């Protein structure tokens, strides 16, 4: 079923997995509704149940004001996470943590990755040879001493994070002090 209501802006909005709002192009949502069970709601929104995964997503048409507000919110989140990533890296360097050095021999170390909605911290091997032969101090080698140092440095600097197993994840929403 083609839903022409969103044709005003060409977008539908939805609640994002990290708490923000997202936008999806109407043509993509139209294809999803044509291929999956869809439940319409009285407020004009609708829920798509993806047949393969069983996951659901609720969409509603985005007005021009919605589009502008969502773009501003997401831009602020991206800017905040960029500042957070720099602050995390600076705190780890100040604590003496061995930081990764891109593509340098013996350059393995802790890497701070800035994604759009979060900052991840993990052990990064500089070369494939190091990955195969060097100890893994992040999780098992030396009893995970580097990971322990990273956690201590983040806590000391006042950062709030989530332990995801192979990495540590931080968000601007949980660390607005940066």
């Amino acid at each position: 079923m083609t839903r022409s209501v969103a044709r005003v802006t060409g977008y539908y909005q939805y609640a994002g997995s990290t708490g923000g709002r997202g936008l999806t192009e109407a043509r993509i949502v139209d294809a999803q509704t044509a291929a999956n069970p869809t439940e319409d709601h009285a407020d004009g929104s609708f829920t798509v149940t993806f047949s393969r995964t069983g996951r659901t997503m609720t969409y509603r048409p985005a007005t021009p004001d919605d589009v502008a507000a969502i773009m501003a919110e997401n831009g602020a989140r991206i800017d905040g996470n960029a500042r957070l990533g720099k602050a995390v890296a600076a705190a780890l360097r100040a604590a003496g943590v061995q930081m990764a050095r891109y593509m340098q021999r013996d350059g393995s170390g802790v890497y701070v990755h800035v994604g759009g909605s979060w900052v991840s911290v993990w052990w990064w091997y500089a070369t494939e040879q190091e990955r195969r032969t060097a100890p893994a101090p992040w999780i098992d080698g030396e009893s995970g001493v580097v990971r322990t140092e990273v956690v201590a440095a983040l806590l000391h600097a006042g950062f709030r994070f989530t332990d995801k197993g192979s990495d540590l994840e931080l968000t601007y929403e949980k660390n607005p002090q940066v």
Side-chain angles (χ1 to χ4, degrees):
M1 172 180 174
T2 299
R3 299 176 180 276
S4 61
V5 177
R7 296 288 178 216
V8 173
T9 63
Y11 292 99
Y12 286 99
Q13 63 178 305
Y14 61 91
S17 61
T18 59
R21 295 186 297 167
L23 294 170
T24 298
E25 291 181 60
R27 65 183 178 80
I28 295 170
V29 176
D30 290 344
Q32 291 171 344
T33 61
N36 295 285
T38 303
E39 178 185 347
D40 291 305
H41 305 291
D43 66 357
S45 67
F46 54 94
T47 301
V48 177
T49 301
F50 295 95
S51 300
R52 205 175 103 233
T53 64
R55 182 174 163 245
T56 62
M57 182 66 74
T58 299
Y59 298 99
R60 69 180 183 90
T63 66
D65 289 342
D66 292 331
V67 171
I70 291 168
M71 296 296 277
E73 291 165 11
N74 290 343
R77 179 177 287 112
I78 289 168
D79 293 345
N81 281 321
R83 288 191 311 275
L84 177 60
K86 290 176 184 174
V88 166
L92 296 177
R93 279 193 299 277
V97 171
Q98 177 184 339
M99 301 299 286
R101 294 178 317 280
Y102 183 70
M103 296 305 289
Q104 294 182 23
R105 185 182 188 112
D106 299 322
S108 297
V110 173
Y111 179 68
V112 177
H113 173 77
V114 178
S117 298
W118 61 85
V119 173
S120 296
V121 181
W122 69 77
W123 184 262
W124 181 78
Y125 289 100
T127 66
E128 179 63 20
Q129 180 180 358
E130 285 182 32
R131 188 190 66 75
R132 287 193 314 261
T133 61
W138 183 252
I139 295 176
D140 53 19
E142 302 175 31
S143 300
V145 69
V146 173
R147 185 184 179 93
T148 302
E149 290 174 358
V150 168
V151 167
L154 291 174
L155 290 172
H156 179 75
F159 291 113
R160 296 179 61 200
F161 57 90
T162 303
D163 189 335
K164 295 288 193 173
S166 62
D167 62 341
L168 304 172
E169 184 177 285
L170 300 93
T171 62
Y172 176 68
E173 286 79 16
K174 291 182 181 176
N175 295 283
Q177 71 274 19
V178 297

